[in-house]
Amino acid sequence: HVVMDSLGVMDLEAMAAAGITALIANAAGLMDVATSSEAIFQYYERTLAGETKRAADYFIDVYVTLGINMYGIPPDYEKILKALPRYLHRDRVVGVGEIGLDPSSNTCPDLGKQEEILVAQLKLAREYNKTAVLHLPRMERLKWVERYFKLIDGTKLERGKVVITHADAATTKMITD
């Protein structure tokens, strides 16, 4: 996945020249900014409308995952959870993500609150038949994969509907099994 607003013209030209015709854009919110739900909705719209059009100029189809990223949880995150279903119906939205847990979050260091938000989003992914894209923290990745599997199973989301990003040699076998 990519974060579209971090890609410049040269990046899109290089991707097109390399034969990339489609990609997944992560629009799960602003990183390390305890902003507002309104700012995140604007970010979703900018990605869904502007960034998909910008990539189309290079013959690249953009599909989008969105949600509440653990690094950018706003104080009024409940408004986003309530509004997510209307976004999950949109044509180019293919998943909920990149979401997860991370003890290094500056916007919400409370892992219990992060887990509550994550579980709500996993349930939405299941209900709307979307893929969930989960972020692995940098440290103790095996522990986080095990915790994610418990949460995934607890929400009855099919494991095949989950992509876990930032895997390493120690976690890849566990994830693919």
Coordinates of all heavy atoms in Angstrom, one line a residue, residues 46-98:
R46 N -10.2 13.8 0.0 CA -9.1 14.2 -0.8 C -8.5 12.9 -1.5 O -8.1 12.9 -2.7 CB -8.1 14.9 0.0 CG -6.9 15.5 -0.9 CD -6.0 16.4 -0.1 NE -5.3 15.7 0.9 CZ -5.4 15.9 2.3 NH1 -6.2 16.8 2.7 NH2 -4.6 15.2 3.1
T47 N -8.4 11.8 -0.7 CA -7.8 10.6 -1.3 C -8.7 10.0 -2.3 O -8.3 9.6 -3.4 CB -7.4 9.6 -0.2 OG1 -6.5 10.2 0.7 CG2 -6.8 8.4 -0.7
L48 N -10.0 9.9 -1.9 CA -11.0 9.2 -2.8 C -11.3 10.0 -4.1 O -11.5 9.4 -5.1 CB -12.3 9.0 -2.1 CG -12.3 7.9 -1.0 CD1 -13.5 8.1 -0.1 CD2 -12.3 6.6 -1.7
A49 N -11.2 11.3 -4.0 CA -11.5 12.1 -5.3 C -10.2 12.6 -5.9 O -9.9 12.1 -7.0 CB -12.4 13.3 -4.9
G50 N -9.5 13.4 -5.2 CA -8.3 14.0 -5.8 C -7.2 13.1 -6.1 O -6.6 13.1 -7.2
E51 N -6.8 12.2 -5.2 CA -5.7 11.4 -5.4 C -6.0 10.2 -6.4 O -5.1 9.8 -7.2 CB -5.2 10.8 -4.1 CG -4.7 11.8 -3.1 CD -3.4 12.6 -3.6 OE1 -2.8 12.2 -4.6 OE2 -3.1 13.6 -2.9
T52 N -7.2 9.7 -6.5 CA -7.5 8.7 -7.5 C -7.5 9.3 -8.9 O -7.0 8.7 -9.8 CB -8.9 8.1 -7.2 OG1 -9.9 9.1 -7.1 CG2 -8.9 7.3 -5.9
K53 N -7.9 10.6 -9.0 CA -7.9 11.3 -10.3 C -6.4 11.6 -10.7 O -6.0 11.4 -11.8 CB -8.7 12.6 -10.2 CG -8.7 13.3 -11.6 CD -9.4 14.6 -11.5 CE -9.4 15.4 -12.8 NZ -8.2 15.2 -13.6
R54 N -5.6 12.0 -9.7 CA -4.2 12.3 -10.0 C -3.5 11.1 -10.5 O -2.7 11.1 -11.5 CB -3.5 12.9 -8.8 CG -2.1 13.4 -9.0 CD -1.6 14.2 -7.8 NE -1.4 13.3 -6.6 CZ -0.2 12.9 -6.2 NH1 0.9 13.3 -7.0 NH2 0.0 12.2 -5.2
A55 N -3.7 9.9 -9.9 CA -3.0 8.7 -10.3 C -3.6 8.3 -11.7 O -2.8 7.7 -12.5 CB -3.2 7.6 -9.3
A56 N -4.9 8.5 -11.9 CA -5.5 8.1 -13.2 C -4.8 8.8 -14.4 O -4.7 8.3 -15.5 CB -7.0 8.4 -13.2
D57 N -4.3 10.0 -14.1 CA -3.5 10.7 -15.2 C -2.3 10.0 -15.6 O -1.7 10.2 -16.7 CB -3.1 12.1 -14.7 CG -4.3 13.1 -14.5 OD1 -5.4 12.8 -15.0 OD2 -4.1 14.1 -13.8
Y58 N -1.8 9.0 -14.8 CA -0.7 8.2 -15.1 C -1.1 6.7 -15.4 O -0.3 5.8 -15.4 CB 0.3 8.2 -14.0 CG 0.9 9.6 -13.8 CD1 0.2 10.5 -12.9 CD2 1.9 10.1 -14.5 CE1 0.7 11.8 -12.8 CE2 2.4 11.4 -14.4 CZ 1.7 12.2 -13.5 OH 2.2 13.5 -13.4
F59 N -2.4 6.5 -15.7 CA -3.0 5.3 -16.0 C -2.9 4.2 -14.9 O -2.7 3.1 -15.1 CB -2.4 4.7 -17.3 CG -2.5 5.7 -18.4 CD1 -1.4 6.4 -18.8 CD2 -3.7 5.9 -19.1 CE1 -1.5 7.3 -19.9 CE2 -3.8 6.8 -20.1 CZ -2.7 7.5 -20.5
I60 N -3.0 4.8 -13.6 CA -2.9 3.9 -12.4 C -4.3 4.0 -11.7 O -4.7 5.1 -11.4 CB -1.8 4.3 -11.5 CG1 -0.4 4.3 -12.2 CG2 -1.8 3.5 -10.2 CD1 0.7 4.8 -11.4
D61 N -4.9 2.8 -11.5 CA -6.2 2.8 -10.8 C -5.8 2.7 -9.3 O -5.0 1.9 -8.9 CB -7.0 1.5 -11.1 CG -7.7 1.6 -12.4 OD1 -8.1 2.7 -12.8 OD2 -7.8 0.6 -13.1
V62 N -6.5 3.6 -8.5 CA -6.3 3.6 -7.1 C -7.5 3.1 -6.4 O -8.6 3.6 -6.6 CB -5.9 5.1 -6.6 CG1 -5.8 5.1 -5.1 CG2 -4.6 5.5 -7.2
Y63 N -7.3 2.2 -5.5 CA -8.3 1.6 -4.6 C -7.9 2.1 -3.2 O -6.7 2.3 -2.9 CB -8.4 0.1 -4.7 CG -8.8 -0.2 -6.1 CD1 -7.9 -0.5 -7.1 CD2 -10.2 -0.2 -6.5 CE1 -8.3 -0.8 -8.4 CE2 -10.6 -0.5 -7.8 CZ -9.6 -0.8 -8.8 OH -10.0 -1.0 -10.1
V64 N -8.8 2.2 -2.3 CA -8.5 2.9 -1.0 C -8.9 2.0 0.2 O -10.0 1.4 0.1 CB -9.3 4.2 -1.0 CG1 -9.1 5.0 0.3 CG2 -8.9 5.1 -2.2
T65 N -8.1 2.1 1.2 CA -8.5 1.6 2.5 C -8.5 2.8 3.4 O -7.7 3.7 3.2 CB -7.4 0.6 3.1 OG1 -6.2 1.2 3.2 CG2 -7.3 -0.7 2.2
L66 N -9.5 2.8 4.3 CA -9.6 3.9 5.2 C -10.0 3.4 6.6 O -10.5 2.3 6.7 CB -10.5 5.0 4.7 CG -11.8 4.6 4.0 CD1 -12.8 4.3 5.0 CD2 -12.2 5.8 3.2
G67 N -9.8 4.3 7.6 CA -10.2 3.9 8.9 C -9.5 4.9 9.9 O -9.2 6.0 9.5
I68 N -9.4 4.4 11.1 CA -8.7 5.3 12.2 C -7.4 4.6 12.5 O -7.3 3.5 13.0 CB -9.6 5.4 13.4 CG1 -11.0 5.9 13.1 CG2 -8.9 6.2 14.5 CD1 -11.9 5.8 14.3
N69 N -6.3 5.3 12.0 CA -5.0 4.8 12.3 C -4.6 5.0 13.7 O -4.9 6.1 14.3 CB -4.0 5.5 11.3 CG -2.6 5.0 11.4 OD1 -1.9 5.3 12.3 ND2 -2.2 4.2 10.4
M70 N -3.9 4.1 14.3 CA -3.5 4.2 15.7 C -2.6 5.3 16.0 O -2.5 5.8 17.2 CB -2.9 2.9 16.3 CG -1.7 2.4 15.6 SD -2.2 1.5 14.1 CE -0.9 1.9 13.0
Y71 N -2.0 5.9 15.0 CA -1.1 7.0 15.2 C -1.8 8.4 15.1 O -1.2 9.4 15.3 CB 0.1 7.0 14.2 CG 1.1 5.9 14.4 CD1 1.3 5.0 13.4 CD2 1.7 5.7 15.6 CE1 2.2 4.0 13.5 CE2 2.6 4.6 15.8 CZ 2.8 3.8 14.7 OH 3.7 2.8 14.9
G72 N -3.1 8.3 14.7 CA -3.8 9.6 14.5 C -5.2 9.5 15.0 O -6.1 9.8 14.3
I73 N -5.4 9.1 16.2 CA -6.7 9.0 16.8 C -7.1 10.3 17.4 O -6.5 10.8 18.3 CB -6.7 7.9 17.9 CG1 -6.3 6.5 17.3 CG2 -8.1 7.8 18.6 CD1 -6.1 5.4 18.4
P74 N -8.2 10.9 16.8 CA -8.7 12.2 17.3 C -9.5 12.0 18.5 O -10.1 10.9 18.8 CB -9.5 12.7 16.1 CG -10.0 11.5 15.5 CD -8.9 10.5 15.6
P75 N -9.7 13.1 19.3 CA -10.5 13.0 20.5 C -12.0 12.6 20.2 O -12.6 11.9 21.0 CB -10.5 14.4 21.1 CG -9.3 15.0 20.5 CD -9.0 14.4 19.2
D76 N -12.5 12.9 19.0 CA -13.8 12.6 18.6 C -13.9 11.5 17.7 O -14.7 11.5 16.7 CB -14.5 13.9 18.1 CG -13.9 14.4 16.8 OD1 -12.7 14.0 16.5 OD2 -14.5 15.3 16.1
Y77 N -13.1 10.4 17.9 CA -13.0 9.3 17.0 C -14.3 8.6 16.8 O -14.6 7.9 15.8 CB -11.9 8.3 17.5 CG -12.3 7.6 18.7 CD1 -13.1 6.4 18.7 CD2 -11.9 8.1 20.0 CE1 -13.4 5.8 19.9 CE2 -12.3 7.5 21.2 CZ -13.0 6.3 21.1 OH -13.4 5.7 22.3
E78 N -15.3 8.7 17.8 CA -16.6 8.0 17.7 C -17.3 8.5 16.4 O -18.0 7.7 15.8 CB -17.4 8.3 18.9 CG -16.9 7.7 20.2 CD -16.0 8.7 21.0 OE1 -15.7 9.8 20.4 OE2 -15.7 8.5 22.2
K79 N -17.1 9.7 16.1 CA -17.8 10.3 14.9 C -17.3 9.5 13.6 O -18.1 9.3 12.7 CB -17.6 11.8 14.7 CG -18.3 12.6 15.7 CD -18.0 14.1 15.5 CE -18.6 14.9 16.6 NZ -18.3 16.4 16.4
I80 N -16.0 9.2 13.6 CA -15.5 8.5 12.4 C -16.1 7.0 12.4 O -16.5 6.6 11.4 CB -14.0 8.4 12.5 CG1 -13.4 9.9 12.4 CG2 -13.4 7.6 11.3 CD1 -12.0 10.0 12.7
L81 N -16.1 6.4 13.6 CA -16.6 5.0 13.6 C -18.1 5.0 13.1 O -18.5 4.1 12.4 CB -16.6 4.4 15.0 CG -15.2 4.1 15.5 CD1 -15.2 3.6 17.0 CD2 -14.5 3.0 14.7
K82 N -18.8 6.0 13.5 CA -20.2 6.1 13.1 C -20.4 6.4 11.6 O -21.3 5.9 10.9 CB -20.9 7.2 13.9 CG -22.4 7.3 13.7 CD -23.1 8.3 14.6 CE -24.6 8.3 14.3 NZ -25.2 9.3 15.2
A83 N -19.4 7.1 11.0 CA -19.5 7.5 9.6 C -18.9 6.5 8.7 O -19.1 6.5 7.5 CB -18.8 8.9 9.4
L84 N -18.0 5.6 9.2 CA -17.3 4.7 8.3 C -18.2 3.9 7.4 O -17.9 3.7 6.2 CB -16.4 3.7 9.1 CG -15.0 4.3 9.4 CD1 -14.3 3.3 10.3 CD2 -14.2 4.6 8.2
P85 N -19.4 3.4 7.8 CA -20.2 2.6 6.9 C -20.6 3.4 5.6 O -20.6 2.8 4.5 CB -21.5 2.3 7.7 CG -20.9 2.2 9.1 CD -19.9 3.3 9.2
R86 N -20.8 4.7 5.7 CA -21.1 5.4 4.4 C -19.9 5.4 3.5 O -20.1 5.5 2.3 CB -21.7 6.7 4.7 CG -20.7 7.8 5.0 CD -21.4 9.2 5.1 NE -20.5 10.2 5.3 CZ -20.3 10.9 6.4 NH1 -21.1 10.7 7.4 NH2 -19.4 11.8 6.5
Y87 N -18.7 5.4 4.0 CA -17.5 5.3 3.2 C -17.3 3.9 2.6 O -16.8 3.7 1.5 CB -16.3 5.8 3.9 CG -16.2 7.3 4.1 CD1 -16.7 7.8 5.3 CD2 -15.8 8.1 3.1 CE1 -16.6 9.2 5.5 CE2 -15.8 9.5 3.3 CZ -16.2 10.0 4.5 OH -16.2 11.4 4.7
L88 N -17.6 2.9 3.4 CA -17.3 1.5 3.0 C -18.2 1.1 1.9 O -17.9 0.1 1.2 CB -17.5 0.6 4.2 CG -16.5 0.8 5.3 CD1 -16.8 -0.1 6.5 CD2 -15.1 0.6 4.9
H89 N -19.3 1.8 1.6 CA -20.1 1.6 0.4 C -19.6 2.1 -0.9 O -20.0 1.8 -2.0 CB -21.5 2.1 0.6 CG -22.4 1.4 1.6 ND1 -22.8 0.1 1.3 CD2 -22.8 1.7 2.8 CE1 -23.5 -0.3 2.3 NE2 -23.6 0.6 3.2
R90 N -18.6 3.0 -0.8 CA -18.1 3.7 -2.0 C -17.3 2.7 -2.9 O -16.6 1.8 -2.4 CB -17.2 4.9 -1.6 CG -18.0 5.8 -0.7 CD -18.0 7.2 -0.9 NE -17.3 8.0 -1.7 CZ -16.8 9.2 -1.4 NH1 -17.0 9.7 -0.2 NH2 -16.2 9.9 -2.3
D91 N -17.4 3.0 -4.2 CA -16.8 2.1 -5.2 C -15.4 1.7 -5.0 O -15.0 0.6 -5.1 CB -17.0 2.6 -6.6 CG -18.4 2.6 -7.1 OD1 -19.2 1.7 -6.5 OD2 -18.8 3.3 -8.0
R92 N -14.5 2.7 -4.8 CA -13.1 2.5 -4.7 C -12.6 2.0 -3.4 O -11.4 1.7 -3.2 CB -12.4 3.7 -5.2 CG -12.7 4.0 -6.6 CD -11.4 4.3 -7.4 NE -11.7 4.3 -8.8 CZ -11.1 3.4 -9.6 NH1 -10.3 2.6 -9.2 NH2 -11.4 3.5 -10.9
V93 N -13.4 1.9 -2.4 CA -13.0 1.5 -1.0 C -13.0 0.0 -0.9 O -14.1 -0.6 -1.1 CB -13.9 2.2 0.1 CG1 -13.5 1.6 1.5 CG2 -13.8 3.7 0.0
V94 N -11.8 -0.6 -0.7 CA -11.7 -2.0 -0.7 C -11.4 -2.6 0.7 O -11.3 -3.8 0.9 CB -10.6 -2.5 -1.7 CG1 -11.0 -2.2 -3.1 CG2 -9.2 -1.9 -1.4
G95 N -11.1 -1.7 1.7 CA -10.8 -2.2 3.0 C -10.8 -1.1 4.1 O -10.9 0.1 3.8
V96 N -10.5 -1.6 5.3 CA -10.4 -0.8 6.5 C -8.9 -0.9 6.9 O -8.4 -2.0 7.1 CB -11.3 -1.3 7.6 CG1 -11.1 -0.5 8.8 CG2 -12.8 -1.4 7.2
G97 N -8.3 0.2 6.9 CA -6.9 0.2 7.2 C -6.1 1.4 6.8 O -6.7 2.3 6.2
E98 N -5.0 1.5 7.2 CA -4.1 0.6 8.0 C -4.4 1.0 9.4 O -4.3 2.1 9.9 CB -2.7 0.9 7.6 CG -1.7 0.1 8.4 CD -0.2 0.4 8.0 OE1 0.1 1.5 7.5 OE2 0.6 -0.5 8.2

